[in-house]
Each structure stands twice: as structure tokens, then as C-alpha cells.
Amino acid sequence: MKLGIFTLVLAYMLSQFYRAFLAVLTPALKADIGALPDDLSLASGMWFLAFAVMQLPVGWALDKIGPKRTASILLAFGGAGGALVFGLAQSPLHIIIAMVLLGIGCAPVLMASFYIFARSFLPVVFASLAGAIIGFGSLGNIASSLPMTWASETFGWRETLFALAAITLAVALAILLFVKDPETPAHEQDAQGSVFSLLKMPALWLIFPMMTVNYAAAAGIRGLWIGPYLSDVFTADAAMIGKATLAMGLAMALGNFVYGPLDRLFPTRKWIVFWGNLAAAISLLSLYFLPASNLWFSIAMMAAVGLFAASFAVIIAHARAFIPPHLTGRGVTLLNLFGIGGAGILQSLSGRVHGAALVGATDPAQPYQALFLFFGGAVLVGVLIYGEPL
């Protein structure tokens, strides 16, 4: 069991890496294949959309064939294959195709872990275990900052992607060898139900909007916009951008470890999520009002967004209380569809927001003001809906 969970943590580290590494490759991809920020915004958004679209079939597969085969097969073909296509890319279109494949490959790995936790451990420790795996997995987010910058500059970005393809394939094989599928109790084997059963639950419809926006701002800024923002507004070089992405990545990892145990310290999950995400919205709106005041203030506020928005595991734990055991796989993946789908949609829209604000802008900070208002407003709306009584 422990070795199997460890392999899934490694897989989730790769998932975190692949969703965020574009930010530090922006200059190299522009120089080598002509990829502009709007191209990379679309590519990053397609990773999230592909990931989201896969959640429903992944949920069915987790319940029907188990996490071992679901995670290992998709990670091998989509993850390793996507990294290989990325390394061979000759145009922005190839980058987009590679990111779609990577999104498909990464789609099952976190949910496979959540499925095992939900089926094999007591509900009271679910949020702590889920928060821990996200926290440790976030080391992949950190690896996509300074370490990725160093590797791409030392070996070349193509060579680095080829090495990542080999590593991803090795992790997929380890999952197949070491993960053990939980046993399904006899009384659940013939239980009826589907995603539509879950969609009929009113309580979940107050949670879905919060899931949709919770991760979107942190993912969008950390995965793409932090680099162009610091470069355009503060003329930051690659080393400074690497440090800033590292700071935000560490804050996101720390947030998962902080949020996880809170539902055992306080008799509520809902209000932990509510106040934390309200703080994230305030941090985003601070960047809207003061987008160019100070480099370190901006980095601190983006790190605060990463810290306060790291409530994903607690939201899942809150929603899981309403999900029947025999629909565990489909339940957690449905929630993840809203979480990752929301990130993908907002990520794709963010490129349009930036492009529209760029027209006629007299200050390099203006397009980024529009971005921070866009993300901050979305999080605030999600918080307000989530705060409504059931």
C-alpha cells in the first residue's frame, strides 16, 4: 500500500509539473518556434480542458476497473507521449497538441489516490491525507520553476522534455507494478447510480461554483502569467521569474499542508473554505489596485493567492459527505471536472482578457490589471455562492 501511494505521489508531482512548466519556457519557445503568450495561454488552457473532459470516463474506470490500470495506462500513453511530442515540437500547434496529451495522461493520478483514500481509510482523515498528497505532489510545481529553468538552460528544453518522457513512462510502469486496487464490498457490487444521480443533489450545486474558481486563479498565474507579468511590468529576468515562481509554488504546497488538518481542528469544512478563498480574492484585488507598485509586493500577493487558494482537498472532503460509497470514483472525478474545467476555461479566457486590454494600453501594467480583476472577481463570486445556506 505505502509503495503504491508513493508511486501515485510521484505521478502527481509530474501532473503538477506539466500544468505549470510553460511559464519558465516562455522566452525559449518564443525564440525557437515563435510561440507568443496568447499561444501558450491557449496551450495551457487546453491542458486543463483535456484533463477536465477525461474526468467522467476516469471516474467510471476507477469504479469499474480500479485505480491501478486507469492511472498507469493513461499516464504511459498520454503523459510520456505528450512529453515526447512537446520535445519534437516545431510550431505552437505542436505545443497545443502536446499539452492536450499531457492533460489526458495526468487526468487520473490524483483521483486514483483520492479513490484509494476514500475506500481504504476513515472519512475523518480524508482531508489530511488528500492535502498531504497534494502538498507533496506540489514539489512538481516547484520543480517547474528554478529547476526547470536550470535544466532547459543547461541541456536545452527539448532534451529536458525527452528526459521527462522517459521518467513519466517509468512512473507509469511503477504504478502498474505497485498500486493495489481496494476491494469493493459485496453489497456495493450491484448498486445502481451514475453521475446523473450526483447531479440531482442540491447540496453539490452550491459546492460546484467554488470548485470551478478555487484553483483557477492560482493555476493561471503560476502556470502562465507570472512570467510575462514580472517581465513586462518590472523587467524581471529569467532568474527573478524563477525565484518568483518558486515562491508561489512553495506557498501553494504549504497551503495544502495547512488546510488538510483544519477540519479536525474546527467543527466545519465549509467556513474554512469560505474564509480562505475570500482571502485569496482580496489578494487578487490588491494586485488589481496596485499592479506596479513594487516587485516584492506583487510576488508576495501572488504567493498569498497560492497559499489561500489551496483548499481543494477540503472542498472535496466537504462534498464527499454527500456522495454514496459506490459512486466514489464518479463523485470525486465530477468535482475534479468542475475544478480543472474551471481552471481550463478561465485560463483560456485569460488570454482574451489580456489581449483585449492590451489594445490601446498606455501602461504595461494595464493588461495585467484586467487579468487580476478577472480572476479576483471570479473567485469572489464563487465564495459568495458557496456561503449560501444549504
Side-chain angles (χ1 to χ4, degrees), residues 32 97 107 174 194 231 272 366:
D32 290 356
I97 294 170
S194 68
S231 175
I272 292 169
Q366 282 180 246

Side-chain angles (χ1 to χ4, degrees), residues 72-152:
S72 61
I73 292 170
L74 286 177
L75 185 63
F77 287 96
L84 183 60
V85 170
F86 199 115
L88 295 170
Q90 300 296 323
S91 73
L93 177 60
H94 298 154
I95 297 295
I96 293 169
I97 294 170
M99 293 302 286
V100 169
L101 289 171
L102 287 168
I104 292 170
C106 295
V109 293
L110 181 61
M111 294 301 102
S113 304
F114 282 10
Y115 181 88
I116 292 170
F117 293 154
R119 304 293 288 181
S120 305
F121 296 90
L122 295 174
V124 70
V125 299
F126 179 87
S128 295
L129 290 171
I133 198 168
I134 295 175
F136 285 118
S138 294
L139 293 173
N141 192 320
I142 295 165
S144 69
S145 55
L146 279 177
M148 183 59 185
T149 302
W150 172 83
S152 62

